[in-house]
Amino acid sequence: MIDGKRYFIPLFYSPDVFITTEETLNKYNLTSSEFSFKALSEKLSKNKKEYSLFGSADDNIAFFYSFLDQYIDFNSGNTEFNSDKFSEDLDSIYSLIKNDTTDENVYYFLYENINNGASILYKEMPAFSIIVKTYSCLKYLGSTPVFVNNYNMDDDSISASIDVGIAVNDNCKNKEKLLPFIKYCLSCDVQKNMSEEYMYLPVNSDAMEKCIDSIDEAIDFGDLIVSDKEKAIVETAQSAAIRDYKYIINNITKCNLYGFNYLSDTYFNSSVISDIVDKYLNGDISKEKFIRQLSAATEIYLTE
């Protein structure tokens, strides 16, 4: 609720997670049990091997915006850009992006290039069937896939983001029809049907359990399975993927309005601070000047 005038009802969400493999992490002397983006930056800066963080410069920028948004409370209007933690973490994120060797002429898809170590992370995928299938394929192909949290101010925090929701203004017409409509959208059957259609996680917990339990029906492994032995391998891989994905779902501690894939397109990121971000990442302004300009532009945006 915003100032008692605007209301937002989330309908579907996705965990903010990426996929990598233990083998890829081992290549860079990283471990998933102690994984953080600060550790990632420190290890990669000392490692002589080249790396591609996501395999896409656009994903690197979206990753940077997701980092910045962690330090803004859009409801209270407070920021933490002047904190020591932000300054320290900014160094880590900057180092990760500037040392990236992404070749825009190469199309990266982790489970097709796993033997080449093309990307350290594969960007988060909103559709849970796709993320489970990717995880399963990695395991089927002999790797050890792991989920990695998106950047969070708290290293152990698992966040999520809203994929679909309803926004309502206080001056809308036909208010008497609003509550029945919301109840309809949040009902188990509607949530389950829409979730199966668009592959997002429903906020209705009963619908979510039914969707997760029936996920094997939504995923076609026909292109992989040619024998009973391979069918057994795929089924085992899929069970592991669903188990690990359920753990992520059950341990979400906070939820953001925008997902990683869409952050670069939000008004704040694309219009208010994009020029400042570009100048900083291009080396045109210093870290100190970037923080000053970022703080000033964000304060104007939040107060106006």
Side-chain angles (χ1 to χ4, degrees):
M1 182 173 68
I2 303 176
D3 295 334
K5 297 179 181 179
R6 185 175 300 151
Y7 305 84
F8 183 79
I9 302 94
L11 301 180
F12 300 96
Y13 71 99
S14 296
D16 294 324
V17 294
F18 305 105
I19 293 179
T20 187
T21 68
E22 293 287 6
E23 290 77 12
T24 302
L25 295 178
N26 289 339
K27 176 181 177 181
Y28 298 98
N29 196 29
L30 292 160
T31 59
S32 59
S33 60
E34 300 175 351
F35 191 91
S36 71
F37 288 105
K38 179 181 179 180
L40 178 64
S41 177
E42 291 175 348
K43 292 288 179 67
L44 293 179
S45 65
K46 297 175 182 177
N47 200 308
K48 300 298 182 180
K49 299 177 182 178
E50 293 185 340
Y51 70 86
S52 172
L53 192 59
F54 296 101
S56 166
D58 288 341
D59 289 338
N60 286 349
I61 296 298
F63 170 59
F64 189 75
Y65 282 129
S66 72
F67 156 71
L68 295 180
D69 285 2
Q70 292 287 322
Y71 287 85
I72 307 171
D73 187 330
F74 288 96
N75 291 320
S76 68
N78 296 323
T79 68
E80 297 185 45
F81 294 142
N82 293 316
S83 67
D84 291 339
K85 179 171 176 53
F86 176 76
S87 178
E88 181 181 342
D89 287 341
L90 180 60
D91 290 336
S92 298
I93 303 299
Y94 183 85
S95 176
L96 280 173
I97 293 176
K98 295 303 291 185
N99 293 327
D100 184 277
T101 58
T102 292
D103 182 348
E104 287 299 308
N105 296 315
V106 178
Y107 177 72
Y108 295 94
F109 194 66
L110 184 58
Y111 71 78
E112 292 179 355
N113 295 279
I114 191 63
N115 293 327
N116 299 325
S119 301
I120 294 177
L121 302 174
Y122 187 65
K123 68 178 182 178
E124 59 98 57
M125 295 155 280
F128 67 83
S129 63
I130 298 177
I131 202 169
V132 169
K133 182 172 183 178
T134 302
Y135 192 105
S136 302
C137 286
L138 283 166
K139 199 168 185 66
Y140 169 80
L141 294 172
S143 300
T144 309
V146 290
F147 288 118
V148 177
N149 303 338
N150 186 23
Y151 173 81
N152 283 289
M153 291 176 65
D154 302 317
D155 289 341
D156 297 330
S157 177
I158 299 176
S159 61
S161 56
I162 302 301
D163 294 305
V164 180
I166 301 172
V168 183
N169 286 329
D170 184 52
N171 61 353
C172 69
K173 298 179 180 179
N174 302 316
K175 290 184 182 180
E176 71 283 356
K177 298 180 180 179
L178 181 58
L179 185 57
F181 177 68
I182 292 174
K183 289 182 177 179
Y184 170 79
C185 291
L186 296 176
S187 65
C188 183
D189 288 344
V190 172
Q191 286 261 295
K192 180 177 181 297
N193 292 339
M194 290 184 66
S195 179
E196 290 174 349
E197 177 73 20
Y198 298 105
M199 301 304 171
Y200 297 132
L201 292 176
V203 297
N204 183 305
S205 57
D206 291 335
M208 186 191 72
E209 286 297 325
K210 292 180 180 180
C211 290
I212 295 295
D213 290 341
S214 63
I215 196 171
D216 56 329
E217 300 174 5
I219 303 177
D220 179 16
F221 284 99
D223 54 339
L224 292 177
I225 300 172
V226 296
S227 68
D228 290 341
K229 181 179 179 180
E230 289 179 329
K231 181 179 180 181
I233 294 174
V234 168
E235 288 177 349
T236 300
Q238 185 170 308
S239 296
I242 294 174
R243 178 200 64 211
D244 293 348
Y245 196 56
K246 279 187 173 180
Y247 174 84
I248 293 291
I249 293 171
N250 292 330
N251 287 275
I252 293 171
T253 57
K254 59 182 179 180
C255 195
N256 306 312
L257 186 58
Y258 298 104
F260 176 85
N261 288 331
Y262 309 107
L263 278 171
S264 298
D265 298 326
T266 64
Y267 176 78
F268 173 71
N269 290 328
S270 66
S271 300
V272 177
I273 65 171
S274 59
D275 288 344
I276 302 171
V277 169
D278 288 344
K279 289 178 182 178
Y280 175 62
L281 293 180
N282 290 332
D284 297 331
I285 58 176
S286 66
K287 170 185 171 181
E288 291 72 23
K289 189 171 184 178
F290 169 70
I291 293 176
R292 289 197 302 271
Q293 292 186 357
L294 177 68
S295 300
T298 303
E299 182 178 358
I300 293 172
Y301 171 79
L302 293 173
T303 55
E304 292 185 354

